[in-house]
Amino acid sequence: KQEVTQIPAALSVPEGENLVLNCSFTDSAIYNLQWFRQDPGKGLTSLLLIQSSQREQTSGRLNASLDKSSGRSTLYIAASQPGDSATYLCAPDNYGQNFVFGPGTRLSVLP
Amino acid sequence: GAVVSQHPSRVICKSGTSVKIECRSLDFQATTMFWYRQFPKQSLMLMATSNEGSKATYEQGVEKDKFLINHASLTLSTLTVTSAHPEDSSFYICSARPGTSGGAGEQYFGPGTRLTVT
């Protein structure tokens, strides 16, 4: 059964810092991995999707990498802004059937 | 981009009543939709996979007679919480995977429905 962990659980940084959020998963037989953000009381916003054959994806200030063999993915946020404050979730897509979500990293970017 | 809607966004009901939540894919068809539940300060937990034209597949520990799922068309899935109790109060989120042949691919999430049972 797929298990997902995310480190750190919470992070508070001043504006402008570059950040690294980590995601680990136990079953490397995945089709893809997706990163989401969730604002308090809201649904999910998809940030990046990495196919299992890819090593990384970039969108604006966000860059996600995937090392499937070691069961790790990293989300890099450059030049963080207060608007980036949210909970970030990673979700490996297990056998193309469903996602297993990590517990999330709660990010707070201080102005 | 692909859009998924949910209705209602918030609902308050009395204990013992039933509540229906709708999930619609607005600009794409989806053979497969998913229902998740999220308790406060916890991550999303998959409840069931909704398959158009067939029975839903429920995760272990989820009561299929309590959480009725109907995937009536390629753009609509409904979740009915029957005989709701306060412990069913939660944030329910659906997602849809574009395509009519199943398989892997990006999921698009609805905005969620907050259910409060008094």
Side-chain angles (χ1 to χ4, degrees), chain A residues 1-3 25-30 68 71 92 94-95:
Chain A
K1 180 183 176 183
Q2 180 73 280
E3 294 181 3
F25 48 95
T26 55
D27 190 341
S28 62
I30 62 172
K68 201 174 93 164
N94 211 34
Y95 302 110

Side-chain angles (χ1 to χ4, degrees), chain A residues 31-32 34 36 38 40-46 48-49 51 89 93 95-104 106, chain B residues 10 32 34 36 38 41-46 49 59 91 93 97 102-112 114:
Chain A
Y31 279 94
N32 58 52
Q34 202 162 345
F36 300 88
Q38 185 177 31
K42 303 290 185 181
L44 302 181
T45 300
S46 177
L48 290 164
L49 171 72
Q51 301 291 349
L89 302 165
D93 194 344
Y95 302 110
Q97 294 303 309
N98 58 59
F99 283 163
V100 176
F101 282 87
R106 192 167 62 255
Chain B
R10 288 178 176 270
T32 305
F34 303 90
Y36 297 84
Q38 185 178 35
K41 297 190 177 181
Q42 294 186 25
S43 192
L44 281 78
M45 295 297 293
L46 179 67
T49 301
E59 295 299 300
F91 193 51
I93 303 178
R97 174 175 279 146
E106 189 166 1
Q107 288 187 25
Y108 297 94
F109 285 78
R114 184 160 303 283

Side-chain angles (χ1 to χ4, degrees), chain B residues 15-89:
Chain B
S15 185
T17 62
S18 295
V19 173
K20 180 185 284 188
I21 303 170
E22 293 187 349
C23 176
R24 292 181 185 271
S25 55
L26 298 185
D27 49 3
F28 64 95
Q29 293 183 328
T31 301
T32 305
M33 294 185 175
F34 303 90
W35 287 96
Y36 297 84
R37 179 167 54 184
Q38 185 178 35
F39 291 108
K41 297 190 177 181
Q42 294 186 25
S43 192
L44 281 78
M45 295 297 293
L46 179 67
M47 298 176 65
T49 301
S50 173
N51 303 297
E52 188 270 338
S54 64
K55 293 183 178 180
T57 304
Y58 291 82
E59 295 299 300
Q60 192 172 10
V62 178
E63 300 175 59
K64 61 181 180 181
D65 294 331
K66 180 171 182 64
F67 299 99
L68 302 180
I69 291 173
N70 183 20
H71 197 145
S73 74
L74 289 172
T75 59
L76 173 64
S77 176
T78 60
L79 169 68
T80 301
V81 183
T82 63
S83 187
H85 291 285
E87 56 265 33
D88 298 323
S89 298

